[in-house]
């Protein structure tokens, strides 16, 4: 008979030594500077989280950007990934600002891809002016890029981008002095900054807006919703706004439309539903799947069924790249106390109602919808028993059942320990957590999660472990250093599903997620 003590000793040596303490005080593995920067870029919104302040996140990102092992080319690629695939706003703007100091020519190469709308432009300028990257003025190269941003856009695009403050587009124009090349652009700049201008030369859209302000009985101009909220609008005006609203505005204002009688017109209700469920429009909108869940769950009774069903159709589109995995899949959503914090952090006056646990439940429900035989194992200080989920139910329905579970402590090893206790086998285990495990304490050199994972691997040697981290921290419970069976990935966009699909199919290298970002073309 084999010596069990020797076997346990050998098994323990295979577990990498924990080399960090996480924010909750538990043993953890420190991410490499590259992986940590990617993690922050995909999850950090520069707002206070459960364990870290906005200032701490900011300083961590800037420190990582200055690390000798993090080259400027990688920072540029992370900025692109964060904006294009991760759909983030503040973080890619911050990385662009950091590049303006580290390597301005690289910043110039990615600027227009990252700073792709008015909101992103204002974010970039705000960060530059704050002095956090080491300068309080734009500087020659950034100023030139901002000027080129204006030159590359039409009069109507610039006018529609003039919503928002701190800084306003007016402030930006005064700062960089873009040169108008047409009479209409000269008039527009004068109009926006409150200087003398030729009213007759103003773009047609601006004239329509001013005419509507003077006499709201006319046709509603196709301008951002925020430009019209201070005006006295009737039911017909609201219906016209709904007819012309872009996708994101439609999603965010369903209750407003219902409150103003828009959906009393069945034709408009049908139009709105078709817009929300349009495949190409959903893809272009860069919508987070959780944003659709919020729109659905917060829709008032006045929002008709056809519109609510369209949101579910949009959810199917937004999550259709959830991989179908051959074999047995286990999905482990964390429902502990820290997961009940806002997914994008706390920001005074604009904190999202969406919690990390909502996103974890949504991811689990999406996997279950595609992988009918998957088993969902919610956990806190221990696994949660007694939860019944039907793969045929909608993603929304199953997610709601999981978010109703009471909170508790965090024990990331609990699902694996449960699987090991019943000698279960499997092909893919997916955790959705903030990875701030503290209840479980390892008996050996590594974390309890890695101890339990190695034990699971003795029965399922080809199994793979994926840990989706929803918060901007720099540690993990599973080590992926030098091994091909574990993947740490950050974020809450649909791109996460695509990376998991590649990993499950064996298409990623040893550096896993960092490889995906490195492969991007500048």
């Amino acid at each position: 008979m084999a010596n069990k003590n020797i076997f346990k000793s050998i098994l323990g040596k295979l577990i990498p030594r924990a080399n960090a303490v996480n924010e909750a005080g538990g043993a953890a593995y420190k991410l490499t500077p590259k992986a940590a920067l990617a993690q922050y870029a995909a999850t950090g919104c520069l707002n206070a989280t459960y364990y870290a302040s906005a200032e701490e996140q900011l300083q961590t990102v800037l420190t990582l950007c200055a690390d000798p092992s993090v080259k400027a080319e990688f920072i540029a690629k992370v900025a692109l990934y964060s904006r294009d695939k991760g759909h983030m706003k503040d973080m890619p703007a911050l990385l662009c600002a950091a590049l303006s100091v580290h390597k301005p020519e690289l910043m110039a190469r990615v600027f227009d891809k990252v700073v792709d709308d008015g909101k992103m432009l204002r974010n970039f300028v705000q960060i530059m002016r704050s002095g956090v990257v080491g300068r309080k003025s734009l500087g020659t190269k950034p100023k030139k890029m901002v000027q080129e941003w204006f030159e590359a856009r039409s009069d109507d695009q610039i006018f529609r981008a003039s919503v928002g403050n701190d800084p306003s587009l007016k402030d930006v124009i005064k700062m960089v002095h873009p040169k108008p090349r047409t009479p209409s652009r000269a008039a527009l700049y004068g109009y926006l900054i409150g200087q003398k201008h030729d009213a007759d030369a103003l773009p047609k859209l601006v004239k329509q807006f001013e005419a509507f302000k003077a006499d709201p009985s006319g046709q509603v101009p196709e301008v951002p919703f925020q430009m019209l909220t201070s005006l006295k609008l009737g039911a017909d005006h609201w219906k016209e706004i709904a007819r012309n609203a872009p996708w994101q505005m439609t999603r965010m204002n369903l209750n407003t439309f219902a409150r103003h009688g828009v959906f009393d017109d069945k034709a408009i209700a049908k139009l709105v539903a078709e817009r929300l469920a349009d495949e190409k429009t959903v893809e272009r909108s860069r919508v987070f799947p959780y944003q659709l869940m919020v729109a659905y769950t917060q829709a008032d009774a006045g929002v008709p069924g056809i519109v609510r069903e369209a949101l579910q159709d949009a959810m199917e589109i937004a999550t259709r790249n959830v991989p179908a995995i051959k074999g047995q899949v286990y999905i482990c959503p964390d429902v502990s106390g820290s997961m009940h914090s806002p997914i994008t952090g706390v920001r005074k006056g604009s904190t999202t109602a969406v919690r990390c646990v909502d996103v974890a439940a949504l991811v689990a429900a999406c996997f279950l919808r595609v992988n009918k035989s998957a088993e969902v194992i919610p956990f806190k200080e221990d696994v949660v028993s007694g939860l019944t989920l039907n793969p045929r139910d909608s993603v929304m329905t199953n997610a709601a059942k999981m978010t109703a579970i009471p909170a508790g402590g965090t024990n990331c090893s609990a699902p694996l320990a449960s699987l090991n206790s019943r000698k279960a086998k499997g092909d893919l285990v997916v955790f959705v957590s903030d990875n701030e495990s503290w209840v479980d304490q390892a008996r050996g050199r590594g974390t309890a999660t890695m101890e339990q994972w190695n034990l699971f691997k003795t029965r399922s040697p080809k199994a793979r472990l994926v840990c989706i981290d929803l918060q901007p921290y720099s540690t993990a419970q599973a080590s992926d250093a030098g091994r091909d069976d574990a993947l740490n990935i950050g974020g809450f966009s649909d791109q996460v599903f695509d990376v998991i699909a590649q990993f499950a199919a064996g298409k990623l290298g040893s550096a896993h997620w960092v490889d995906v970002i490195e492969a991007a073309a500048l």
Side-chain angles (χ1 to χ4, degrees):
M1 181 179 293
N3 187 319
K4 292 183 178 180
N5 290 328
I6 294 177
F7 174 74
K8 288 182 178 179
S9 176
I10 294 173
L11 187 63
K13 288 180 180 178
L14 297 175
I15 299 173
R17 187 180 300 278
N19 58 2
V21 175
N22 64 25
E23 282 77 359
Y29 296 101
K30 188 175 183 62
L31 297 174
T32 66
K34 278 188 173 183
L37 181 60
Q39 170 67 25
Y40 274 79
T43 60
C45 297
L46 299 181
N47 298 323
T49 63
Y50 192 86
Y51 289 108
S53 68
E55 291 76 15
E56 289 170 332
Q57 290 180 54
L58 173 63
Q59 189 55 53
T60 299
V61 171
L62 294 177
T63 300
L64 290 168
C65 286
D67 190 286
S69 67
V70 179
K71 304 302 182 185
E73 289 79 2
F74 184 74
I75 298 174
K77 290 180 178 181
V78 172
L80 285 177
Y81 181 93
S82 176
R83 180 58 181 156
D84 185 45
K85 303 298 184 182
H87 311 331
M88 304 298 281
K89 298 181 179 68
D90 293 347
M91 198 58 71
L94 174 62
L95 294 176
C96 249
L99 276 174
S100 74
V101 176
H102 292 290
K103 205 161 188 179
E105 61 271 22
L106 264 179
M107 181 273 297
R109 288 175 62 183
V110 301
F111 185 86
D112 210 47
K113 296 176 183 177
V114 173
V115 183
D116 55 3
D117 61 24
K119 168 65 174 172
M120 290 299 298
L121 181 71
R122 292 190 296 105
N123 283 352
F124 174 77
V125 172
Q126 179 187 30
I127 290 169
M128 292 295 293
R129 291 175 68 190
S130 71
V132 296
V133 297
R135 60 198 306 175
K136 289 193 174 183
S137 62
L138 287 180
T140 303
K141 196 70 173 182
K143 181 178 180 180
K144 184 175 186 297
M145 298 313 302
V146 175
Q147 290 172 337
E148 290 180 359
W149 187 94
F150 281 100
E151 292 176 4
R153 281 153 181 82
S154 68
D155 291 344
D156 286 359
Q157 286 176 319
I158 291 175
F159 181 57
R160 290 191 176 102
S162 63
V163 174
N165 295 296
D166 299 324
S168 66
L169 203 66
K170 169 184 175 180
D171 297 328
V172 179
I173 292 171
K174 284 185 173 182
M175 189 183 308
V176 303
H177 304 290
K179 294 181 179 179
R181 301 188 183 278
T182 64
S184 65
R185 183 62 59 91
L188 176 61
Y189 287 156
Y191 170 87
L192 290 174
I193 65 177
Q195 289 187 353
K196 186 177 180 180
H197 60 276
D198 182 356
D200 292 334
L202 284 171
K204 181 179 179 181
L205 182 61
V206 181
K207 292 178 180 178
Q208 290 174 342
F209 176 65
E210 286 299 317
F212 184 76
K213 284 168 60 179
D215 181 11
S217 64
Q219 184 177 359
V220 179
E222 294 185 27
V223 297
F225 170 67
Q226 298 93 322
M227 290 184 175
L228 303 170
T229 53
S230 63
L231 306 178
K232 293 182 179 181
L233 304 176
D236 289 341
H237 292 137
W238 281 103
K239 290 178 183 179
E240 189 64 24
I241 290 171
R243 285 191 190 96
N244 298 322
W247 194 94
Q248 286 282 20
M249 176 192 155
T250 302
R251 173 188 66 81
M252 296 171 65
N253 290 280
L254 295 176
N255 290 338
T256 301
F257 291 159
R259 191 164 58 249
H260 290 92
V262 168
F263 297 128
D264 294 342
D265 188 325
K266 292 184 178 180
I268 296 183
K270 182 174 182 293
L271 182 149
V272 167
E274 290 174 347
R275 178 187 301 147
L276 288 172
D278 181 75
E279 180 177 339
K280 292 183 178 179
T281 309
V282 171
E283 291 174 348
R284 285 197 306 266
S285 69
R286 293 177 172 177
V287 63
F288 288 121
Y290 78 77
Q291 291 173 321
L292 289 165
M293 181 176 70
V294 172
Y296 180 82
T297 56
Q298 294 187 349
D300 293 340
V303 178
I306 187 175
V307 175
R308 294 171 62 89
E309 290 170 9
L311 288 170
Q312 296 204 59
D313 292 339
M315 175 68 81
E316 299 296 331
I317 296 169
T319 60
R320 65 184 176 188
N321 57 347
V322 174
I325 307 298
K326 292 182 180 179
Q328 181 60 50
V329 178
Y330 300 102
I331 311 299
C332 310
D334 182 353
V335 296
S336 65
S338 60
M339 291 288 286
H340 286 251
S341 60
I343 185 66
T344 53
V346 177
R347 175 179 289 176
K348 186 177 180 180
S350 59
T351 299
T352 178
V354 185
R355 304 162 300 171
C356 296
V357 69
D358 298 318
V359 178
L362 177 61
V363 172
C366 289
F367 266 98
L368 183 62
R369 186 67 183 272
V370 175
N371 300 275
K372 306 297 184 184
S373 63
E375 182 180 344
V376 177
I377 310 175
F379 71 94
K380 37 187 178 176
E381 67 274 357
D382 202 347
V383 296
V384 177
S385 59
L387 180 68
T388 302
L389 301 175
N390 184 351
R392 294 180 180 271
D393 283 343
S394 71
V395 168
M396 308 287 195
T397 300
N398 282 328
K401 289 181 180 179
M402 283 179 269
T403 57
I405 299 171
T410 308
N411 180 356
C412 288
S413 64
L416 289 168
S418 177
L419 291 172
N420 287 330
S421 69
R422 52 187 164 107
K423 293 181 170 52
K425 296 181 180 180
D427 299 276
L428 179 68
V429 180
V430 179
F431 279 78
V432 195
S433 173
D434 61 4
N435 278 313
E436 294 304 308
S437 193
W438 58 270
V439 172
D440 50 346
Q441 294 296 325
R443 291 170 293 179
R445 50 190 270 150
T447 63
T449 297
M450 285 305 289
E451 287 181 353
Q452 294 295 335
W453 175 241
N454 269 23
L455 184 56
F456 184 84
K457 290 273 289 185
T458 61
R459 297 186 306 278
S460 302
K462 294 184 179 180
R464 294 198 163 204
L465 173 67
V466 174
C467 298
I468 303 174
D469 199 332
L470 300 179
Q471 290 289 270
Y473 306 126
S474 57
T475 61
Q477 284 298 294
S479 173
D480 56 13
R483 49 194 304 160
D484 292 325
D485 65 339
L487 168 67
N488 288 300
I489 179 173
F492 33 80
S493 74
D494 60 340
Q495 177 66 13
V496 169
F497 298 133
D498 185 56
V499 176
I500 293 173
Q502 292 184 55
F503 178 68
K507 296 180 180 179
L508 293 185
S510 60
H512 303 319
W513 186 29
V514 170
D515 282 349
V516 174
I517 297 174
E518 288 275 29
L522 292 178

